[in-house]
Amino acid sequence: MRSLAAIGVFALLIALVPAMVDSGYLLNAIIMTLYAALLGQAWNILGGFGGLFSFGHAVFFGTGAYAMAVLQVNFGWNAWVALPAAMVLGGAVGGFIGALSFRYGLRGSYFALVTLAFAEVFRVLANTFQFTGAGVGLMVPLKESALNMQFGKTGFLYLILSFLIAAQLVAWWIRHSRFGAWLQAVRDNEESASALGVDVFRVKMLAIVMAGMLMACGGAFYVQYLHYIDPHLAFGASVSVQALMAAIVGGIGSVWGPLVGAAALQLLGELTRNLMGDAPGINLIVYGVVLVLMVNFMPRGIVGLATRWKR
Amino acid sequence: MILQVRNISRSFGGLKAVQDVSLSVREGSISALIGPNGAGKTTLFAILSGFIKPDGGSVLFKGKDITGMPPHRICRLGMTRTFQLVQPFAAQTVRENIAVGAHLGIASRKAALAKAEEVARQVGLEEQLHKPAIDLTIAGRKRLELARAIATEPRLLLLDEVLAGLNPQEINEMLPVIRGIRDAGVTVLMIEHVMQAVMSLSEHARVLNNGSLIAEGAPVDIASNPLVIEAYLGHGTAERLRKAMEAAGAA
């Protein structure tokens, strides 16, 4: 139960931030960190606990983002109603991709390629259809009010904090439940798991649906916070990379890994910007180098390193 | 009869791995399935436990037809197998490994971990509970494989060479463990090469050769069956052995 209390303490600490921090720049940095941690956790649930590495988490992200924008702009839905719908759609896309891939036992790089392909297909579709605004994208009009899920910086901090806490609780539950034990068993050895009575297909399906819902939640937040989405932002590779980077740098298969990774990457991003300026693509080069170094020398991430010291 | 196998066959391309095998297992017994390497024993186990679908024939467990059912459903009905090549959840501790099996019947994480400790004591792994499974010796991994299977509380346990790779002392330590499992009410069917174990544990043995059952009966009779001797040692061996014995007797 100590680990559950840790989530509470973390929530409390972040909730106190607006009372102490005045700088909009710093608040924005914290919001973006929490947001990246949410994406990372959505990746971690499938990739970290389930061993199913996705290269196309953007497909869930974009589904959530577009659902949020289309339902509000084209159908006049209230944002608070659109949010659960966006999450359900993200979960449904997860279920669809999962049913296709897991039915045929796709694992490893094959599964990664399927997710990548789906993200790309969705990007092309969003680029084509009129109701998604095609290549121009969709603009969500600015009407700041809690009723529209549009806030100032402080309000958005609380919004993303509550989303992230929900994701942390899901991860905590996975770490301490029968479902989580089954999911990790499937990750470590599918044959053994099924010999011990684990319904491998069902366990994987649940994991990808949960990951899809959380990632869609991240997409919905993005639209609310920045008021704009286009096919490349929604389904491009950079969101997928952002999600897996946070999890891998922080430590996959751990409850706090994605948050730690997101914070480390945020700091790294600020550093590179200060040292090398805003040269386009420089952050991607740094990301690539960090990813290679991490996978080679710290496969358990920062959290893995910390637990090794403790022993 | 807890398990009835009727006319099971399975081929891989031109290779008839299992041909028309029928056998039955009495509830509460320890019985053995023996045979030379490549005889089809592991394939037969894989068919019984649902990992491979047979081309023909049927498997009845507790009177219910389970032919072609997926492994996890067969396990839930009460038949659990172990693997000859042990397959631990390497990244997890011994306790977590066993708990995966315990979770079959127990939803609560806490209760499953407690059950894991109990099972660990039963197979002599209680000192290693906190070790990652990958740090265990071969003997330890065999025990772990056994422990995970017991934790599912099966009615019938299929053991695929749990003694292979152990030294004589480790084998002697394992024999009472297996007997204890049977005494707790679990029927055991084991594939085994260690004849000493087959002799001392099982009351009934079957011999598989080239995919077919060639002999069945008490282990002592099996060991002197000419067909069985030839299966292991080659065609004509039984005849030569008999002559050698006679010559020795005459001299």
Side-chain angles (χ1 to χ4, degrees):
Chain A
M1 291 306 117
R2 268 218 324 260
S3 44
L4 200 56
I7 297 177
V9 169
F10 165 74
L12 208 66
L13 282 178
I14 299 293
L16 289 177
V17 161
M20 295 180 290
V21 176
D22 213 17
S23 137
Y25 179 78
L26 199 54
L27 273 182
N28 181 60
I30 294 174
I31 289 172
M32 290 321 279
T33 305
L34 300 184
Y35 156 80
L38 172 65
L39 303 189
Q41 194 62 275
W43 191 89
N44 187 39
I45 283 169
L46 191 62
F49 292 108
L52 293 156
F53 283 27
S54 148
F55 285 175
H57 251 46
V59 71
F60 311 128
F61 175 89
T63 302
Y66 266 109
M68 198 71 180
V70 168
L71 288 175
Q72 288 185 85
V73 175
N74 298 3
F75 296 92
W77 285 30
N78 177 278
W80 292 102
V81 185
L83 173 68
M87 289 178 67
V88 167
L89 275 171
V93 170
F96 178 70
I97 295 176
L100 277 180
S101 327
F102 305 149
R103 173 72 59 208
Y104 299 104
L106 295 189
R107 278 186 274 182
S109 39
Y110 297 99
F111 175 73
L113 282 174
V114 166
T115 55
L116 186 66
F118 265 102
E120 200 50 23
V121 167
F122 273 54
R123 191 182 64 79
V124 172
L125 290 178
N127 224 338
T128 312
F129 287 118
Q130 280 309 310
F131 76 94
T132 55
V136 184
L138 278 177
M139 195 101 102
V140 175
L142 182 68
K143 279 178 287 179
E144 192 175 313
S145 146
L147 284 176
N148 294 328
M149 208 190 283
Q150 290 185 19
F151 308 91
K153 286 251 161 22
T154 308
F156 270 123
L157 178 74
Y158 287 132
L159 185 70
I160 191 65
L161 177 62
S162 43
F163 288 169
L164 177 63
I165 293 302
Q168 289 301 103
L169 289 175
V170 170
W172 181 88
W173 172 75
I174 287 180
R175 200 79 189 80
H176 296 91
S177 68
R178 165 155 81 173
F179 170 75
W182 281 346
L183 183 60
Q184 292 172 82
V186 167
R187 172 194 67 195
D188 290 346
N189 194 318
E190 262 183 42
E191 242 188 359
S192 276
S194 62
L196 296 173
V198 179
D199 187 342
V200 172
F201 180 75
R202 212 173 135 244
V203 165
K204 287 184 184 173
M205 282 298 285
L206 248 166
I208 198 172
V209 168
M210 284 196 293
M213 289 179 79
L214 285 177
M215 198 70 189
C217 185
F221 176 83
Y222 183 92
V223 164
Q224 290 308 107
Y225 190 54
L226 297 170
H227 305 285
Y228 175 71
I229 194 73
D230 72 22
H232 186 73
L233 290 172
F235 295 113
S238 57
V239 177
S240 302
V241 171
Q242 195 181 4
L244 72 88
M245 281 293 288
I248 290 176
V249 169
I252 60 175
S254 73
V255 174
W256 293 99
L259 178 65
V260 172
L265 287 168
Q266 182 74 27
L267 282 176
L268 188 72
E270 301 285 334
L271 265 175
T272 35
R273 209 165 305 140
N274 281 336
L275 290 177
M276 298 184 237
D278 259 336
I282 191 88
N283 58 332
L284 290 180
I285 296 173
V286 174
Y287 269 24
V289 171
V290 169
L291 190 61
V292 169
L293 291 178
M294 291 299 297
V295 170
N296 261 311
F297 300 109
M298 288 166 63
R300 307 298 310 162
I302 299 173
V303 170
L305 205 63
T307 46
R308 211 183 321 156
W309 273 334
K310 238 177 18 190
R311 276 196 191 153
Chain B
M1 291 298 158
I2 191 164
L3 180 73
Q4 284 170 292
V5 178
R6 292 181 186 155
N7 311 103
I8 284 286
S9 297
R10 168 75 207 216
S11 306
F12 298 103
L15 174 75
K16 289 178 180 161
V18 175
Q19 295 181 62
D20 201 27
V21 168
S22 298
L23 57 87
S24 43
V25 175
R26 195 171 55 77
E27 185 148 20
S29 65
I30 299 182
S31 57
L33 181 64
I34 63 175
N37 286 324
K41 304 182 297 293
T42 296
T43 305
L44 182 59
F45 259 31
I47 292 171
L48 300 184
S49 53
F51 281 88
I52 294 177
K53 291 196 179 12
D55 298 332
S58 59
V59 182
L60 271 72
F61 177 57
K62 294 192 291 192
K64 190 176 165 171
D65 190 346
I66 59 162
T67 324
M69 249 186 212
H72 67 270
R73 285 194 52 205
I74 291 178
C75 177
R76 284 172 190 197
L77 286 173
M79 185 200 301
T80 305
R81 74 170 291 188
T82 66
F83 291 92
Q84 179 182 3
L85 301 169
V86 288
Q87 310 209 11
F89 305 124
Q92 304 181 39
T93 65
V94 166
R95 186 209 305 260
E96 286 168 336
N97 264 269
I98 305 175
V100 174
H103 267 309
L104 183 67
I106 303 171
S108 144
R109 185 77 183 136
K110 220 173 141 190
L113 289 169
K115 164 100 184 167
E117 281 183 34
E118 186 191 317
V119 174
R121 266 194 298 279
Q122 210 178 328
V123 301
L125 270 178
E126 67 270 28
E127 303 292 326
Q128 336 257 331
L129 274 169
H130 302 283
K131 269 195 192 171
I134 200 160
D135 289 351
L136 292 179
T137 59
I138 288 291
R141 291 183 196 192
K142 295 271 181 182
R143 282 169 195 260
L144 179 60
E145 188 78 16
L146 189 59
R148 285 194 317 196
I150 301 174
T152 64
E153 302 209 321
R155 301 306 309 151
L156 172 63
L157 195 55
L158 305 180
L159 302 180
D160 195 348
E161 295 201 35
V162 282
L163 301 176
L166 304 191
N167 66 37
Q169 190 205 335
E170 288 163 341
I171 290 175
N172 279 330
E173 286 169 10
M174 279 293 259
L175 296 183
V177 173
I178 296 173
R179 232 177 253 123
I181 294 169
R182 193 265 320 270
D183 294 342
V186 182
T187 311
V188 177
L189 173 62
M190 53 194 248
I191 294 178
E192 201 46 73
H193 275 305
V194 180
M195 286 312 286
Q196 168 211 357
V198 174
M199 294 294 183
S200 87
L201 282 178
S202 61
E203 51 213 61
H204 193 86
R206 308 160 188 81
V207 187
L208 204 61
N209 187 35
N210 291 330
S212 310
L213 275 187
I214 56 169
E216 185 162 9
V220 194
D221 303 335
I222 291 280
S224 55
N225 183 323
L227 275 173
V228 177
I229 295 172
E230 298 208 342
Y232 274 92
L233 301 175
H235 183 67
T237 318
E239 185 64 14
R240 280 201 300 280
L241 268 178
R242 196 175 54 77
K243 282 187 180 149
M245 301 269 272
E246 275 171 9

mmCIF file of all heavy atoms in Angstrom, chain B residues 165-185:
data_model
loop_
_atom_site.group_PDB
_atom_site.id
_atom_site.type_symbol
_atom_site.label_atom_id
_atom_site.label_comp_id
_atom_site.label_asym_id
_atom_site.label_seq_id
_atom_site.Cartn_x
_atom_site.Cartn_y
_atom_site.Cartn_z
ATOM 1 N N GLY B 165 18.610 -34.248 -16.260
ATOM 2 C CA GLY B 165 19.608 -33.224 -15.970
ATOM 3 C C GLY B 165 19.921 -33.091 -14.494
ATOM 4 O O GLY B 165 20.723 -32.245 -14.110
ATOM 5 N N LEU B 166 19.271 -33.899 -13.642
ATOM 6 C CA LEU B 166 19.578 -33.833 -12.211
ATOM 7 C C LEU B 166 20.607 -34.904 -11.863
ATOM 8 O O LEU B 166 20.667 -35.962 -12.501
ATOM 9 C CB LEU B 166 18.307 -34.065 -11.388
ATOM 10 C CG LEU B 166 17.127 -33.141 -11.652
ATOM 11 C CD1 LEU B 166 16.067 -33.333 -10.582
ATOM 12 C CD2 LEU B 166 17.570 -31.690 -11.688
ATOM 13 N N ASN B 167 21.420 -34.644 -10.830
ATOM 14 C CA ASN B 167 22.375 -35.665 -10.400
ATOM 15 C C ASN B 167 21.664 -36.651 -9.471
ATOM 16 O O ASN B 167 20.555 -36.388 -9.015
ATOM 17 C CB ASN B 167 23.614 -35.029 -9.765
ATOM 18 C CG ASN B 167 23.288 -34.307 -8.463
ATOM 19 O OD1 ASN B 167 22.449 -34.773 -7.685
ATOM 20 N ND2 ASN B 167 23.942 -33.183 -8.224
ATOM 21 N N PRO B 168 22.284 -37.824 -9.201
ATOM 22 C CA PRO B 168 21.587 -38.868 -8.428
ATOM 23 C C PRO B 168 21.030 -38.371 -7.091
ATOM 24 O O PRO B 168 19.915 -38.739 -6.704
ATOM 25 C CB PRO B 168 22.681 -39.921 -8.207
ATOM 26 C CG PRO B 168 23.602 -39.742 -9.361
ATOM 27 C CD PRO B 168 23.588 -38.281 -9.680
ATOM 28 N N GLN B 169 21.785 -37.494 -6.431
ATOM 29 C CA GLN B 169 21.305 -37.006 -5.138
ATOM 30 C C GLN B 169 20.051 -36.162 -5.320
ATOM 31 O O GLN B 169 19.079 -36.278 -4.583
ATOM 32 C CB GLN B 169 22.403 -36.200 -4.450
ATOM 33 C CG GLN B 169 22.055 -35.871 -3.013
ATOM 34 C CD GLN B 169 22.781 -34.630 -2.524
ATOM 35 O OE1 GLN B 169 23.841 -34.282 -3.043
ATOM 36 N NE2 GLN B 169 22.201 -33.960 -1.541
ATOM 37 N N GLU B 170 20.078 -35.287 -6.354
ATOM 38 C CA GLU B 170 18.916 -34.432 -6.606
ATOM 39 C C GLU B 170 17.702 -35.262 -6.995
ATOM 40 O O GLU B 170 16.568 -34.951 -6.617
ATOM 41 C CB GLU B 170 19.249 -33.426 -7.721
ATOM 42 C CG GLU B 170 20.218 -32.342 -7.285
ATOM 43 C CD GLU B 170 20.856 -31.605 -8.453
ATOM 44 O OE1 GLU B 170 20.845 -32.121 -9.588
ATOM 45 O OE2 GLU B 170 21.367 -30.502 -8.220
ATOM 46 N N ILE B 171 17.952 -36.360 -7.752
ATOM 47 C CA ILE B 171 16.839 -37.244 -8.116
ATOM 48 C C ILE B 171 16.237 -37.849 -6.858
ATOM 49 O O ILE B 171 15.021 -37.862 -6.681
ATOM 50 C CB ILE B 171 17.333 -38.351 -9.077
ATOM 51 C CG1 ILE B 171 17.657 -37.738 -10.436
ATOM 52 C CG2 ILE B 171 16.283 -39.442 -9.215
ATOM 53 C CD1 ILE B 171 18.264 -38.701 -11.417
ATOM 54 N N ASN B 172 17.102 -38.313 -5.955
ATOM 55 C CA ASN B 172 16.596 -38.913 -4.713
ATOM 56 C C ASN B 172 15.789 -37.927 -3.876
ATOM 57 O O ASN B 172 14.894 -38.318 -3.145
ATOM 58 C CB ASN B 172 17.749 -39.484 -3.886
ATOM 59 C CG ASN B 172 18.149 -40.851 -4.403
ATOM 60 O OD1 ASN B 172 17.315 -41.591 -4.940
ATOM 61 N ND2 ASN B 172 19.428 -41.171 -4.286
ATOM 62 N N GLU B 173 16.143 -36.637 -3.996
ATOM 63 C CA GLU B 173 15.374 -35.635 -3.264
ATOM 64 C C GLU B 173 14.011 -35.388 -3.914
ATOM 65 O O GLU B 173 13.055 -35.021 -3.248
ATOM 66 C CB GLU B 173 16.144 -34.311 -3.215
ATOM 67 C CG GLU B 173 17.317 -34.324 -2.256
ATOM 68 C CD GLU B 173 18.208 -33.104 -2.440
ATOM 69 O OE1 GLU B 173 17.798 -32.175 -3.170
ATOM 70 O OE2 GLU B 173 19.310 -33.103 -1.859
ATOM 71 N N MET B 174 13.956 -35.565 -5.253
ATOM 72 C CA MET B 174 12.721 -35.272 -5.969
ATOM 73 C C MET B 174 11.689 -36.392 -5.835
ATOM 74 O O MET B 174 10.486 -36.138 -5.861
ATOM 75 C CB MET B 174 13.020 -35.045 -7.464
ATOM 76 C CG MET B 174 13.529 -33.659 -7.774
ATOM 77 S SD MET B 174 12.296 -32.384 -7.505
ATOM 78 C CE MET B 174 11.755 -32.086 -9.196
ATOM 79 N N LEU B 175 12.149 -37.645 -5.704
ATOM 80 C CA LEU B 175 11.205 -38.760 -5.679
ATOM 81 C C LEU B 175 10.117 -38.600 -4.612
ATOM 82 O O LEU B 175 8.938 -38.735 -4.915
ATOM 83 C CB LEU B 175 11.953 -40.092 -5.502
ATOM 84 C CG LEU B 175 12.889 -40.461 -6.658
ATOM 85 C CD1 LEU B 175 13.524 -41.839 -6.435
ATOM 86 C CD2 LEU B 175 12.151 -40.453 -7.994
ATOM 87 N N PRO B 176 10.517 -38.291 -3.346
ATOM 88 C CA PRO B 176 9.450 -38.124 -2.333
ATOM 89 C C PRO B 176 8.522 -36.960 -2.653
ATOM 90 O O PRO B 176 7.344 -37.004 -2.299
ATOM 91 C CB PRO B 176 10.217 -37.882 -1.028
ATOM 92 C CG PRO B 176 11.625 -37.659 -1.395
ATOM 93 C CD PRO B 176 11.857 -38.197 -2.759
ATOM 94 N N VAL B 177 9.052 -35.930 -3.324
ATOM 95 C CA VAL B 177 8.202 -34.785 -3.683
ATOM 96 C C VAL B 177 7.072 -35.246 -4.609
ATOM 97 O O VAL B 177 5.902 -34.921 -4.414
ATOM 98 C CB VAL B 177 9.037 -33.671 -4.361
ATOM 99 C CG1 VAL B 177 8.133 -32.565 -4.896
ATOM 100 C CG2 VAL B 177 10.064 -33.111 -3.400
ATOM 101 N N ILE B 178 7.459 -36.045 -5.620
ATOM 102 C CA ILE B 178 6.455 -36.516 -6.583
ATOM 103 C C ILE B 178 5.469 -37.460 -5.907
ATOM 104 O O ILE B 178 4.259 -37.389 -6.121
ATOM 105 C CB ILE B 178 7.145 -37.206 -7.783
ATOM 106 C CG1 ILE B 178 8.003 -36.175 -8.533
ATOM 107 C CG2 ILE B 178 6.124 -37.823 -8.727
ATOM 108 C CD1 ILE B 178 8.865 -36.756 -9.616
ATOM 109 N N ARG B 179 6.003 -38.322 -5.024
ATOM 110 C CA ARG B 179 5.112 -39.217 -4.299
ATOM 111 C C ARG B 179 4.138 -38.413 -3.424
ATOM 112 O O ARG B 179 2.956 -38.732 -3.331
ATOM 113 C CB ARG B 179 5.935 -40.179 -3.418
ATOM 114 C CG ARG B 179 5.569 -41.635 -3.650
ATOM 115 C CD ARG B 179 6.444 -42.562 -2.831
ATOM 116 N NE ARG B 179 7.411 -43.266 -3.656
ATOM 117 C CZ ARG B 179 8.730 -43.233 -3.467
ATOM 118 N NH1 ARG B 179 9.244 -42.540 -2.474
ATOM 119 N NH2 ARG B 179 9.526 -43.912 -4.258
ATOM 120 N N GLY B 180 4.668 -37.342 -2.821
ATOM 121 C CA GLY B 180 3.823 -36.484 -1.980
ATOM 122 C C GLY B 180 2.688 -35.857 -2.767
ATOM 123 O O GLY B 180 1.575 -35.714 -2.271
ATOM 124 N N ILE B 181 2.977 -35.496 -4.014
ATOM 125 C CA ILE B 181 1.939 -34.897 -4.862
ATOM 126 C C ILE B 181 0.807 -35.897 -5.075
ATOM 127 O O ILE B 181 -0.368 -35.568 -4.969
ATOM 128 C CB ILE B 181 2.546 -34.476 -6.219
ATOM 129 C CG1 ILE B 181 3.558 -33.345 -6.016
ATOM 130 C CG2 ILE B 181 1.455 -34.045 -7.186
ATOM 131 C CD1 ILE B 181 4.389 -33.046 -7.244
ATOM 132 N N ARG B 182 1.204 -37.163 -5.370
ATOM 133 C CA ARG B 182 0.195 -38.193 -5.583
ATOM 134 C C ARG B 182 -0.599 -38.416 -4.289
ATOM 135 O O ARG B 182 -1.822 -38.525 -4.296
ATOM 136 C CB ARG B 182 0.879 -39.504 -6.023
ATOM 137 C CG ARG B 182 -0.078 -40.547 -6.581
ATOM 138 C CD ARG B 182 -0.539 -41.569 -5.524
ATOM 139 N NE ARG B 182 0.508 -41.975 -4.622
ATOM 140 C CZ ARG B 182 1.316 -43.002 -4.825
ATOM 141 N NH1 ARG B 182 1.180 -43.730 -5.911
ATOM 142 N NH2 ARG B 182 2.248 -43.302 -3.934
ATOM 143 N N ASP B 183 0.120 -38.447 -3.145
ATOM 144 C CA ASP B 183 -0.558 -38.685 -1.871
ATOM 145 C C ASP B 183 -1.547 -37.575 -1.544
ATOM 146 O O ASP B 183 -2.494 -37.773 -0.797
ATOM 147 C CB ASP B 183 0.468 -38.839 -0.736
ATOM 148 C CG ASP B 183 1.306 -40.103 -0.918
ATOM 149 O OD1 ASP B 183 0.860 -40.984 -1.691
ATOM 150 O OD2 ASP B 183 2.392 -40.203 -0.315
ATOM 151 N N ALA B 184 -1.294 -36.380 -2.111
ATOM 152 C CA ALA B 184 -2.236 -35.279 -1.891
ATOM 153 C C ALA B 184 -3.457 -35.402 -2.807
ATOM 154 O O ALA B 184 -4.329 -34.543 -2.802
ATOM 155 C CB ALA B 184 -1.533 -33.945 -2.119
ATOM 156 N N GLY B 185 -3.490 -36.464 -3.607
ATOM 157 C CA GLY B 185 -4.688 -36.707 -4.392
ATOM 158 C C GLY B 185 -4.583 -36.343 -5.860
ATOM 159 O O GLY B 185 -5.586 -36.327 -6.569
#
